[in-house]
Amino acid sequence: MDKRPIGMFDSGFGGLTVARAVMDLLPAESLVYVGDTARYPYGDRPAEQVGEFASQIAHWLVEEAGVKMVVVACNTASAIALDRLRGELDVEVIGVIEPGVRAGVAASRTGRIGVIGTVGTVASGAYQNRFAAEEGVQLACAACPGFVEFVERGETDTDQVLVLAERLLGPVRGAEVDTLVLACTHYPFLARTIAEVMGREVVLVSPAEETAFEVRRILSDSGLAAPAGNEPWHRWLCSKDPGHFAALGRMMLGPELASVERVDWEDL
Ligand code: DGL
């Protein structure tokens, strides 16, 4: 039994979809969440830089915040930096890609699966490589630059997002997928718009729930779960504008996002 918190990070609000799923499945676990809002979006940045940011935050979570495991609640950082973080840290590190693939395969009836993510995630080939190991899957990928910025501004349901979605989702619609993996943790906040464009017959899959199951499995296998009935606490940090993060984050996650601290990274 281990009462230390779980650490989690993303470029901003997106990882809150994973935080919510973990909090719902594991209500006794405490959590430290970092949203790197001063440096989002990660998806358009060079891979080396995303790797540096991810390493810096993950080290901070382990060494300063004392977390017992790290959840990379960002597809871009998972695609680019998961192996590096596993090599650098002596706690368990998990990402969202493997859970995303599993959830996509489980949901699809025809094997025609779409993946949408940031430019960085799609360009990394991480989903393409992982799905290649699955028999009978025909994959269609599309990068959706601009989606993350709409979410960070809290514009999840406007005409502008709809117009952008109609344009960017063209390739996955054209491929007649029956399942669409939302391979950016920000995208579930745009689910209504994405569903409207894709049509009712396409199942939208978020890796968040499957990631939470993975966290539960690892904690229980390694004897690191918090004792049942533990009173959890949640610590929220961002690197820019904690007022905005608190106000919008609370609408997205719920009342547990009570107050937000600011963390200042040294320039990398
Ligand atoms: N939530 C991040 C992801 O899953 C967004 C990356 C970004 O900041 O562009 O990829």
Side-chain angles (χ1 to χ4, degrees):
M1 292 292 165
D2 191 326
K3 287 187 174 183
R4 284 179 300 162
I6 296 166
M8 203 177 273
F9 72 93
D10 177 45
S11 63
F13 293 104
L16 296 179
T17 55
V18 183
R20 183 72 263 167
V22 168
M23 290 160 68
D24 289 343
L25 188 71
L26 302 167
E29 297 293 341
S30 297
L31 193 76
V32 180
Y33 181 97
V34 175
D36 196 6
T37 46
R39 303 188 294 200
Y40 93 93
Y42 281 4
D44 305 330
R45 290 182 179 275
E48 310 78 61
Q49 195 177 39
V50 173
E52 289 300 307
F53 292 172
S55 171
Q56 180 188 38
I57 298 171
H59 276 276
W60 183 89
L61 283 167
V62 175
E63 286 146 28
E64 305 294 325
V67 304
K68 60 185 173 187
M69 85 180 281
V70 172
V71 180
V72 184
C74 171
N75 287 266
T76 312
S78 296
I80 292 167
L82 194 61
D83 291 342
R84 170 178 175 170
L85 300 184
R86 284 183 168 150
E88 287 180 5
L89 301 168
D90 54 11
V91 299
E92 278 290 346
V93 184
I94 71 159
V96 284
I97 291 178
E98 184 63 35
V101 169
R102 274 205 306 272
V105 169
S108 179
R109 288 158 286 119
T110 63
R112 284 195 304 277
I113 298 176
V115 169
I116 54 170
T118 66
V119 171
T121 297
V122 173
S124 77
Y127 274 93
Q128 295 90 324
N129 292 338
R130 181 53 191 80
F131 268 116
E134 299 291 334
E135 230 171 277
V137 170
Q138 273 174 276
L139 199 64
C141 295
C144 296
F147 274 9
V148 167
E149 287 87 335
F150 274 109
V151 173
E152 290 288 317
R153 289 198 299 270
E155 285 181 49
T156 52
D157 206 7
T158 60
D159 287 347
Q160 286 92 325
V161 193
L162 184 63
V163 169
L164 184 65
E166 270 165 353
R167 183 158 61 78
L168 295 175
L169 297 175
V172 281
R173 270 172 79 186
E176 297 185 351
V177 300
D178 73 350
T179 300
L180 184 64
V181 180
L182 306 181
C184 170
T185 51
H186 281 71
Y187 295 177
F189 294 122
L190 300 174
R192 206 170 337 158
T193 301
I194 294 170
E196 201 172 316
V197 174
M198 294 304 295
R200 287 180 55 187
E201 58 289 349
V202 176
V203 179
L204 304 187
V205 170
S206 153
E209 284 72 29
E210 194 63 31
T211 303
F213 283 115
E214 181 83 1
V215 171
R216 182 171 73 174
R217 188 188 61 73
I218 287 170
L219 290 181
S220 116
D221 286 357
S222 52
L224 289 176
N230 180 49
E231 200 60 58
W233 49 268
H234 307 106
R235 186 177 172 200
W236 310 97
L237 302 104
C238 70
S239 47
K240 189 179 173 187
D241 205 346
H244 174 66
F245 197 85
L248 193 53
R250 202 170 303 131
M251 277 166 39
M252 290 169 163
L253 178 115
E256 294 91 340
L257 205 155
S259 65
V260 178
E261 298 164 53
R262 179 172 172 162
V263 60
D264 266 316
W265 308 117
E266 285 161 38
D267 284 341
L268 283 177

